[in-house]
Amino acid sequence: MNKVVSVFIYRFQFIIPAMALFLLLLNSCKKNEAPPDLVAKVIHSMSDSLPIVSLPEDADPENENWKGIDLEAKTPVLPLYPKEEAKHFLLPEGYEIEAVLTEPQIEQPGAISFDGNGRMYVLELRTYMLTADSDGTLEPVSRISRWEDKDSDGRYETGGVFIDSLIFPRFVLPYGKDAVLTMNSDEDNVYKYTDTDGDGKADKKEFFTNKYGRSGNVEHQQAFMYWGMDNWLYSTVNAFRVKETPSGVIREKTGYNRAQWGVTHDNDGKLWFQGGASGVPSYFQFPIHYGTFKVENQFAEGFEIPWGAPVKIADMQGGMDEIRQPDGSLNRVTGSAGNDIYRGDRLPKELIGQYFYGEPVARIVRQINPVVTEGITELHNVYQKDKSEFLRSTDPLFRPVDMATAPDGTLYVVDMYHGIIQEGQWAQKGTYLRTKIEQYQLDKVVGLGRIWRITHKNSAPDKTKPRMFEERPDELLKHLEHPNGWWRDKAQQLIVMSQDRSVVPELEKMVIENKNLLARFHALWSLEGLDALDKMLVRELLKDESPRMRIQAIRVSESLYKNGDKQLAKNYSLLMTDANTDVALQAMLTANLLKIPSLQDDVKALMISNKAKGVQVLGEQILNPVELKGWMIDNGPELTAAQQETMERGSIIFNELCVQCHGLDGTGTPLGNGVVMAPPLTGSPRVQSHPEYVIKTLLHGLEGPLDGQTYPGGIMVGMADQSDQWIADIASYIRVNLTNEASLVSPEQVERVRLNSAEQKGPYAYQELLVSVPQILVPSDLWKVTASHTTPFRIGGSASPISAFNFEGWTTGERQKKGMWYQIEFPDLTTVNEIHFNSPPKRRGSYRDRIPPYQTFPRSYEIQVSTDEVNWNTIKEGKCDKANNIITFEPNKTKFLRIVLAEDLEEEGEIPWSMRQMKIFGLLQDEKLIN
């Protein structure tokens, strides 16, 4: 062998191991690399020179908002590391607080929730107030992460991203094994995300329900989807509840909860909703599904006064008149977020049933004692006499935004630890708050967040690890007796989701024999969720010696009444005379909800015999109902006299004909074991979609399975022999009512569909029907949406034309003029035939000015199509005269679709062109059908 080669091989034998050792050490360094120091990063971002602030030019120094303001240069408010922040907390004697999860693992947490194995899901609102102008709020970078304490040291060290690329998600609700429900801001659909391969990250996205969103800034949209003890899912803002059944997701209307950020329930299943801007709980007197009832004097005197610790910086949005001097703290609650009724077992027993909520502007967590007198609840701040709160902090960056009873029996507090806690709309240049933000450089404190555990010296957290996903339904039963309400709730939920009726005998035994009243409650509601309620058992419970059990029996019996057991009305009438006022009130609520025949007479008699305040307040509003409007809710357009007549005729048809198969409430006539005679009509995406779906079904009928589900009814018989008006009446009733809230149907529409479908012989098969009906084309990442002009629709908006398809909306931002255009490029040739959109009015001046708003719909338009973006063909010309617009045209196969303004605006004023909630309809092939 050549000597040179031999030497090379000899040396190479040593080089290879050396290189391997180097790479190993390098990789080891990476693994042991210190996590990013986000606190140091924030401090480094602070300006070296102290900002100089002054009164805005138009500010009156004698105005109550500005009088006495300190405008001297200030050192910035610097973030503290968690151990240092903990030293600034003030708690009652015996209580302690410790961090369980902090940055850099999480950033800007907004809410938490736990799954059946005790893993904590964190809603990370990573785009909230990153600047004083809320820039980038709707960027898709927020996420939901999942964490677990595997080494039992009390900290959640293991976990990571479960869902990423979210747009300011509204909630996170664990929903079975490795799955959650959530939705983006400004969107309408709730989706179920599932981790199917066990890698800790969701890889499957499924539609769950629709019509769940609303417009507004991120502080005013619906939030906190929450599983109640009654097995329905509730949320803030929305005046309805939803439930998944074997036949699909159904919904029912509820009262207006007027809440923003927080829902919880007590040991008896009553929901408590948390207000936002009000700074106080919003609705809690009675379960929300009975409606909204007005009750005066719900809060003890002085309740609205917060007693936070001195934070010095006086950064309250309302100005100087909302600041307690000299400590610079808040003098009246102005914002609240997150709530929990403590139901654990590792804090003092006197805390069980106490209501806790955060006031992030005051930097407090308040403990409330609910006092019930004659059926009416009055709320008391437990520490008001001491001019204090349960939890306070002298750190101005403490921002409590959620709390929860944890699996370990303690109370967790979510601390966003943030500089600004007010949406950008109220922090604009020239405002008091903006002045304080700039003075203390609060806009620089972003990207942090902590979750704290509150414990007590007399009891350690429970280290038992839940493993409910590994347990059979019969093994879950024991958890219904657990002293910690979290365990009871989660076990009930998983039993119901299993739909395993083999546990029914044991559940019935628990309801009858168990000495634990709370276990009996959960066993009863588990039976309800399994559709396994026994009529005789419920009737026996209506006579139970415990008033609280009688109340649960009344509530659960509503399911039986809806399913046809109308004899229960007599029980409700009798229970209104119960010696216990709370039972009598519950009987009134249920009787009113179900509109039993003797309601009026029963209530009048009760008000004479029972002078309890609750009976009088509730009775008066049942007998003389007052129309209440929902806060931040679109109550829909007022119906004309002719439209109301259509509704009345449709109601008669529905109750005479449709209820036989579809049930009194449209959820399907129950046949037992979760089976219903026909598909639910309530909250149905099929019913809510294009009107042709319902019209064609009514005219020609429908048979076979729907979405793979077969129904005993088998076939929907066509009724083409009925008049166009008759078809329009029942179609309109179904689409407008039953929580569908879709558009009415006119006789002219029926006439047109009847003519166009005249060749249809016999009932449709489902897929055949879908192919013949215009379907909503759902925007995807493959769509290219552009416009001649684009401006953010609101402060913090995305300034993207694609926003025309959601609640955020798109706008030109300037006066309409001929030639402005909005364009969609589809990935393939696509057949389109209809465009729907809403053009919201543009407000002028303040609400007090009452100046009529500008109407932003396009005055004159052309619909153009092209296959190459060069040669355009105008297929429709028209004018708009209202906010809600439907533009129809002959089906046209195209790659480019464009709306063009055809004329200059003749009206005066800066009237832009705006669109939101846009829907493009088209005819699809079988393989492209969107259900």
Side-chain angles (χ1 to χ4, degrees), residues 662-722:
H662 292 286
L664 291 170
D665 57 0
T667 59
T669 300
L671 299 178
N673 295 325
V675 178
V676 293
M677 175 70 77
L681 300 177
T682 179
S684 168
R686 294 186 292 267
V687 172
Q688 297 160 6
S689 64
H690 199 279
E692 279 193 27
Y693 179 91
V694 173
I695 296 172
K696 286 185 173 180
T697 301
L698 289 167
L699 285 172
H700 303 292
L702 181 63
E703 65 179 352
L706 275 69
D707 293 331
Q709 177 86 28
T710 301
Y711 296 89
I715 184 172
M716 162 73 184
V717 178
M719 291 169 279
D721 56 333
Q722 297 289 353

Side-chain angles (χ1 to χ4, degrees), residues 126-254:
R126 292 185 167 218
T127 59
Y128 180 68
M129 294 308 294
L130 300 180
T131 70
D133 292 315
S134 59
D135 297 319
T137 299
L138 300 178
E139 291 298 312
V141 295
S142 289
R143 72 182 201 179
I144 291 170
S145 56
R146 187 177 74 182
W147 302 90
E148 189 172 4
D149 175 15
K150 284 194 171 182
D151 58 9
S152 300
D153 67 348
R155 291 183 60 86
Y156 290 74
E157 79 292 332
T158 304
V161 180
F162 188 75
I163 313 171
D164 59 10
S165 302
L166 295 173
I167 301 173
F168 208 95
R170 306 311 306 170
F171 48 78
V172 54
L173 174 66
Y175 198 72
K177 187 176 187 298
D178 296 321
V180 301
L181 299 180
T182 191
M183 71 182 301
N184 284 328
S185 288
D186 289 307
E187 295 185 4
D188 217 12
N189 294 343
V190 177
Y191 291 97
K192 179 181 177 181
Y193 291 82
T194 307
D195 170 19
T196 64
D197 57 12
D199 67 352
K201 188 170 184 177
D203 51 73
K204 183 179 181 181
K205 178 182 178 182
E206 302 170 272
F207 172 83
F208 182 76
T209 192
N210 67 345
K211 284 185 172 286
Y212 215 83
R214 68 175 305 277
S215 63
N217 68 57
V218 294
E219 291 185 2
H220 289 172
Q221 297 181 38
Q222 74 294 333
F224 276 75
M225 181 179 264
Y226 185 85
W227 187 311
M229 189 187 287
D230 60 7
N231 301 311
W232 286 88
L233 307 182
Y234 298 80
S235 71
T236 65
V237 179
N238 288 327
F240 58 80
R241 58 183 184 173
V242 301
K243 178 197 287 189
E244 186 174 26
T245 71
S247 300
V249 176
I250 61 174
R251 67 177 61 196
E252 289 184 352
K253 288 187 176 182
T254 67

Side-chain angles (χ1 to χ4, degrees), residues 443 487 695 871:
D443 54 323
W487 286 74
I695 296 172
N871 301 294

Side-chain angles (χ1 to χ4, degrees), residues 46 51 53 69-71 74-77 129-134 313-317 363 399 418-429 431-446:
M46 300 288 184
V53 297
I69 185 174
D70 180 359
L71 296 172
K74 303 290 184 182
T75 56
V77 174
M129 294 308 294
L130 300 180
T131 70
D133 292 315
S134 59
I313 65 175
D315 63 330
M316 287 72 192
Q317 180 256 329
R363 286 84 167 178
R399 304 294 196 175
H418 205 62
I420 308 172
I421 205 71
Q422 178 67 66
E423 212 272 337
Q425 185 175 343
W426 293 275
Q428 292 299 289
K429 284 281 188 180
T431 63
Y432 172 91
L433 179 58
R434 183 60 164 261
T435 303
K436 286 294 173 179
I437 289 171
E438 293 175 350
Q439 184 179 28
Y440 288 98
Q441 301 187 51
L442 296 173
D443 54 323
K444 303 293 177 55
V445 185
V446 298

Side-chain angles (χ1 to χ4, degrees), residues 246-515:
S247 300
V249 176
I250 61 174
R251 67 177 61 196
E252 289 184 352
K253 288 187 176 182
T254 67
Y256 300 113
N257 58 65
R258 301 189 175 102
Q260 283 183 254
W261 199 258
V263 189
T264 188
H265 74 268
D266 57 29
N267 276 337
D268 291 72
K270 184 177 74 172
L271 292 170
W272 294 63
F273 291 87
Q274 186 60 43
S278 67
V280 298
S282 62
Y283 197 81
F284 54 86
Q285 288 292 346
F286 310 109
I288 193 64
H289 76 280
Y290 296 114
T292 305
F293 295 94
K294 187 176 181 180
V295 178
E296 302 290 347
N297 304 317
Q298 300 183 98
F299 307 106
E301 184 178 354
F303 184 87
E304 295 178 344
I305 300 174
W307 298 103
V311 292
K312 307 297 186 182
I313 65 175
D315 63 330
M316 287 72 192
Q317 180 256 329
M320 289 299 296
D321 57 323
E322 293 193 10
I323 294 163
R324 179 184 295 116
Q325 297 291 18
D327 62 15
S329 62
L330 189 66
N331 65 15
R332 186 204 178 281
V333 289
T334 185
S336 56
N339 61 346
D340 182 62
I341 289 186
Y342 179 70
R343 301 166 58 225
D345 61 339
R346 294 305 170 111
L347 294 178
K349 289 185 177 180
E350 56 265 27
L351 261 61
I352 297 176
Q354 298 282 282
Y355 183 95
F356 292 85
Y357 78 91
E359 217 296 7
V361 180
R363 286 84 167 178
I364 63 170
V365 172
R366 171 168 286 186
Q367 177 185 343
I368 294 173
N369 182 35
V371 178
V372 181
T373 306
E374 296 184 4
I376 296 297
T377 301
E378 184 180 69
L379 303 186
H380 296 254
N381 174 9
V382 172
Y383 295 93
Q384 183 171 312
K385 290 183 180 179
D386 303 322
K387 295 185 177 182
S388 188
E389 303 287 350
F390 175 74
L391 173 62
R392 299 176 294 155
S393 177
T394 56
D395 184 347
L397 301 177
F398 173 55
R399 304 294 196 175
V401 294
D402 191 26
M403 48 221 61
T405 300
D408 63 14
T410 66
L411 181 67
Y412 283 22
V413 176
V414 178
D415 173 12
M416 189 175 274
Y417 204 67
H418 205 62
I420 308 172
I421 205 71
Q422 178 67 66
E423 212 272 337
Q425 185 175 343
W426 293 275
Q428 292 299 289
K429 284 281 188 180
T431 63
Y432 172 91
L433 179 58
R434 183 60 164 261
T435 303
K436 286 294 173 179
I437 289 171
E438 293 175 350
Q439 184 179 28
Y440 288 98
Q441 301 187 51
L442 296 173
D443 54 323
K444 303 293 177 55
V445 185
V446 298
L448 307 175
R450 293 89 193 259
I451 297 171
W452 303 93
R453 175 196 288 122
I454 295 178
T455 60
H456 194 272
K457 64 180 182 181
N458 293 336
S459 183
D462 186 354
K463 291 192 176 183
T464 305
K465 292 184 181 297
R467 285 295 178 264
M468 295 192 198
F469 292 139
E470 284 76 59
E471 294 178 303
R472 301 185 309 271
D474 62 304
E475 295 174 316
L476 293 171
L477 294 176
K478 61 181 178 291
H479 302 315
L480 300 181
E481 303 181 72
H482 201 286
N484 181 351
W486 177 86
W487 286 74
R488 299 194 301 272
D489 290 346
K490 193 58 63 174
Q492 175 190 320
Q493 292 168 19
L494 295 179
I495 289 170
V496 170
M497 292 189 76
S498 77
Q499 286 297 296
D500 184 346
R501 291 177 177 79
S502 68
V503 296
V504 168
E506 284 301 313
L507 287 169
E508 290 180 336
K509 182 179 179 181
M510 183 177 289
V511 171
I512 297 168
E513 300 179 3
N514 203 287
K515 302 301 181 183

